[in-house]
Every structure is written in C-alpha cells, then in structure tokens.
C-alpha cells in the first residue's frame, strides 16, 4: 500500500505491468500508469482495447492476473461505470439514485447535485432525464462521497457536442474544487479533455502515452468550434508503428504479421514515450466528428492515425 500521507503529485493509484487473463486470453497485458491527486489521466483506444478492464483493475473491481496495482491506503473512489444495471420498469427518482448504495447526508447530496448543476432535478424520475442530465446525475452520485479518485467510464456517451463541452467543464471544475485525481475513459480516439495531463492509448497493451496537443493552438479548430470548445477539447495526435488488423492480428512497420503485439514480441519501437506529437492535421468539416467515429466500425483496431472527418461524422483511419 502507498503511504496515506499523500502529497499532491504522489500517485493515488499506480499500475505496474498489469495483465488480466480471462478464458485463456489476455484482455490487457503490460499496462502501466498512475493517477495522482489533481491529475487527469485519459484512457483512449478502440472498442475492446481494454480501457474498462484497466480502469476496473485500477480501482480493484477486477483482480489482475499478473503485475501490481498499488492504491493509497483508505483511498475513496467514485466510479461511474459505462453501463448501469437499472430496472427501468421501477420508478427511480434522482434522490433515490443518489442513495442506492448507501445513506448520504442531505447536505452532501444537495452539494453534489448543485456541483453537477442538477439540484433542481432532485425529485425528477431518472428515466425522464436527458442523456446529459443522466450523466450529471451519475457524476453527482460519484462525487457525493468526496472521492480522492474519480473514475469516469465514457462520461459523455450519448451527449451532444455542447453537452460534451459542458460535462468536461464540470469534470474540470470538480477536479479544481476538490483536487481529486481523475481517470477518464474517452469514447473518442483523438479528442480528449484539454485539461488531460496524460493520455494513455491502449490496445491490449499501452501503445503510446503523452500529453494532448493543445487545440487552442490551432486557429482552424477555434474557427470551427469556437474558443470555448478549444479550451475544453484537445486533440491527441499520435503515431503507432503497427496496425491492428480486423482479425486481431498485427502488421508491423517491417511488414511482418504476428498474432499480438506485446512488447516482448520484439517489434515494438516504443519506449513508452516514443510517439510523435505532430501538428494538428485534421480537416474538420462538421462537429459531429466527436461522437460518431469511435464506433463506426471502419477503423476498429486500426492504429495509424491519419484520418479525415467527413460531414457524416465518419472518421477513417488509414
Ligand atoms: N469477463 C470477461 N471475460 C472475457 N472477456 C472479457 C471480459 N470482460 C471483458 N472482456 C473482453 O475484453 C476486451 C476488453 O474489454 P473492455 O471492456 O476493457 O474494452 P474497452 O476498451 O473498454 O472497450 P469499449 O470501448 O468497447 O467500451 C473485450 O474484447 C471484451 O470482450
């Protein structure tokens, strides 16, 4: 266990060479990252790349089969999972949602709902909330017990572009007000919260990591989306030395194809920081891009990130 006398900058949680084996298959392997107080770490990667698995290993919901996870003693975690099993046939108010897993002082509930901007909805039925309101309610529930570490699995799913910016603004203000560490799972392969300190790109292993490029430096982005968007969203541009083929195999820069691409297979050029943060080269024609392309099926497991966004919101990765 890490020392409870945590100073800002020391890790709340750290993963070292973490692997999770299920049904004879490594879901993730060699995963290394940490989240410190006040830090925002964003996990990106294609569907099935192990983002949720890694986050669950970080908070102890899932036990790794190899490697180590260290958590600060007494660490309080607020977790918003990607999926919730709620019986939608039963009426459920926001107030009840807040106390489903345990009692909560009225003052703390009120403060969390206010911070999430939905205090006026305390008696609303959860099934009547919009996508953005529902995510805010889940976030309120996660912050109500004043966690040291907030883990948000795709917090902007089902939320439109302006709602996405509003939610990221909310996440930023939660971090600034409470100083908690935040582990964010992004539904987007390229666009992350501008405040992100470290982006970890997963594909069964850590493909690359780095800081997001500040979008506010790109006049084109500001012109298209406005300065508020540029303050909130950043592009993580990166380059991999291998391509994940649709059948799960991996084509390497030297043209060879292997079944997997773990570092020990000898094809990896990455040293953990070896990605290129090039200039922002995206041609954005419409703002739908932020939502559709992570799941459009054209680029599953394809990791050479030259792409163009079309009006339809499709992003194709060459
Ligand atoms: N308990 C399990 N048993 C077997 N396979 C599992 C289990 N949990 C997850 N998987 C598989 O592990 C892989 C990683 O899943 P995970 O949910 O971590 O991916 P993800 O990157 O979060 O994906 P998405 O973007 O689609 O949410 C997937 O192929 C998934 O089908």
């Amino acid at each position: 266990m890490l020392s409870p006398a945590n100073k800002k900058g020391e890790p709340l949680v750290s993963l070292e060479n973490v692997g999770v084996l299920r049904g004879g298959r490594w879901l993730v392997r060699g995963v290394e990252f940490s989240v410190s107080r006040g830090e925002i770490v964003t996990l990106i990667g294609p569907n099935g790349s192990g983002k949720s698995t890694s986050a669950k290993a970080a908070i102890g919901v899932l036990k790794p089969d190899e490697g180590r996870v260290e958590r600060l003693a007494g660490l309080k975690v607020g977790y918003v999972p990607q999926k919730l099993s709620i019986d939608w046939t039963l009426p459920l108010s926001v107030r009840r949602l807040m106390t489903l897993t345990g009692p909560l002082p009225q003052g703390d509930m009120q403060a969390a709902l206010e911070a999430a901007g939905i205090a006026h909805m305390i008696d609303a039925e959860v099934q009547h909330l919009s996508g953005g309101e529902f995510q805010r309610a889940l976030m309120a529930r996660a912050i109500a017990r004043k966690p040291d570490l907030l883990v948000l699995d795709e917090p902007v799913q089902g939320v439109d572009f302006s709602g996405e910016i509003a939610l990221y603004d909310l996440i930023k203000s939660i971090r600034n007000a409470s100083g908690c560490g935040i582990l964010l799972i992004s539904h987007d392969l390229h666009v992350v919260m501008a405040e992100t300190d470290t982006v970890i790109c997963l594909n069964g292993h850590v493909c690359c990591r780095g800081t997001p490029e500040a979008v506010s430096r790109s006049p084109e982005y500001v012109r298209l989306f406005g300065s508020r968007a540029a303050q909130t969203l950043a592009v993580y541009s990166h380059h991999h030395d291998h391509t994940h083929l649709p059948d799960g195999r991996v084509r390497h820069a030297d043209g060879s194809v292997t079944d997997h691409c773990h570092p020990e297979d000898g094809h990896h050029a990455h040293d953990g920081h070896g990605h290129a943060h090039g200039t922002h080269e995206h041609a954005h024609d419409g703002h739908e891009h932020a939502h559709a392309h992570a799941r459009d099926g054209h680029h599953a497991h394809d990791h050479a990130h030259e792409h163009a966004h079309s009006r339809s919101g499709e992003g194709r990765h060459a």
Side-chain angles (χ1 to χ4, degrees):
M1 278 284 172
L2 300 165
S3 157
N6 185 47
K7 296 198 298 281
K8 187 173 173 162
E10 286 180 340
L12 297 166
V13 63
S14 62
L15 282 74
E16 234 176 85
N17 194 34
V18 162
V20 176
L21 182 70
R22 290 289 178 278
R25 183 166 82 93
W26 288 101
L27 307 187
V28 291
R29 221 175 169 188
V31 175
E32 309 230 0
F33 66 87
S34 65
V35 186
S36 298
R37 211 176 278 287
E39 187 184 21
I40 299 180
V41 174
T42 300
L43 302 181
I44 62 167
N47 293 145
S49 59
K51 302 181 295 291
S52 298
T53 301
S54 301
K56 285 177 190 167
I59 62 174
V61 168
L62 230 161
K63 202 171 148 1
D65 297 279
E66 66 177 18
R68 281 154 57 86
V69 179
E70 295 238 11
R71 275 181 296 277
L72 195 73
L75 185 76
K76 275 201 281 177
V77 176
Y79 175 44
V80 176
Q82 187 179 18
K83 289 181 222 113
L84 269 194
S85 41
I86 288 181
D87 182 351
W88 293 109
T89 59
L90 296 174
L92 179 71
S93 66
V94 171
R95 185 192 299 276
R96 181 79 189 98
L97 176 77
M98 296 291 286
T99 54
L100 270 184
T101 47
L104 189 63
Q106 177 64 29
D108 290 356
M109 186 192 298
Q110 193 65 29
L113 290 170
E114 268 164 28
I118 53 161
H120 58 291
M121 303 190 119
I122 189 164
D123 292 313
E125 290 295 317
V126 170
Q127 55 267 58
H128 296 155
L129 300 182
S130 73
E133 289 162 353
F134 182 57
Q135 290 299 332
R136 280 167 183 272
L138 294 181
M139 224 155 341
R141 184 167 170 251
I143 61 173
R145 289 170 180 85
K146 304 182 182 71
D148 306 299
L149 175 66
L150 191 56
V151 179
L152 306 169
D153 197 340
E154 308 212 4
V156 297
Q157 57 180 310
V159 175
D160 68 15
F161 186 67
S162 58
E164 181 173 343
I165 288 175
L167 276 168
Y168 282 142
D169 281 345
L170 169 61
I171 293 166
K172 184 166 63 179
S173 60
I174 290 169
R175 192 275 308 262
N176 292 348
S178 73
C180 66
I182 296 184
L183 178 60
L184 206 59
I185 295 180
S186 172
H187 69 161
D188 196 292
L189 283 171
H190 305 278
V191 181
V192 300
M193 235 185 108
E195 297 286 312
T196 295
D197 298 292
T198 308
V199 181
I200 311 277
C201 179
L202 287 174
N203 204 342
H205 63 293
V206 176
C207 277
C208 61
R209 68 179 74 217
T211 54
E213 193 182 347
V215 157
S216 46
R217 274 190 251 133
S218 160
E220 182 201 34
Y221 193 96
V222 175
R223 183 168 47 78
L224 282 166
F225 302 122
S227 57
R228 202 163 127 69
Q231 282 160 21
T232 307
L233 303 174
V235 169
Y236 179 63
S237 59
H238 49 309
H239 177 73
H240 296 154
D241 62 353
H242 60 276
T243 301
H244 290 263
L245 302 170
D247 62 6
R249 291 179 308 151
V250 176
R251 186 172 58 234
H252 301 271
D254 62 4
S256 63
V257 174
T258 57
D259 285 340
H260 58 83
C261 61
H262 301 310
E264 67 269 26
D265 71 10
H267 289 87
H268 263 245
H270 294 304
D271 59 4
H273 299 274
H275 58 281
H277 283 290
T279 46
H280 168 52
E281 287 172 348
H282 300 194
H284 293 291
D285 291 332
H287 63 241
E288 303 90 334
H289 78 281
H291 306 277
H293 66 249
R295 298 186 186 277
D296 65 13
H298 288 289
H299 59 301
H301 297 213
D302 193 330
H303 259 248
H305 286 164
E306 258 100 55
H307 70 291
H309 296 289
S310 68
R311 276 213 178 274
S312 69
E314 278 184 352
R316 284 188 175 80
H317 300 242

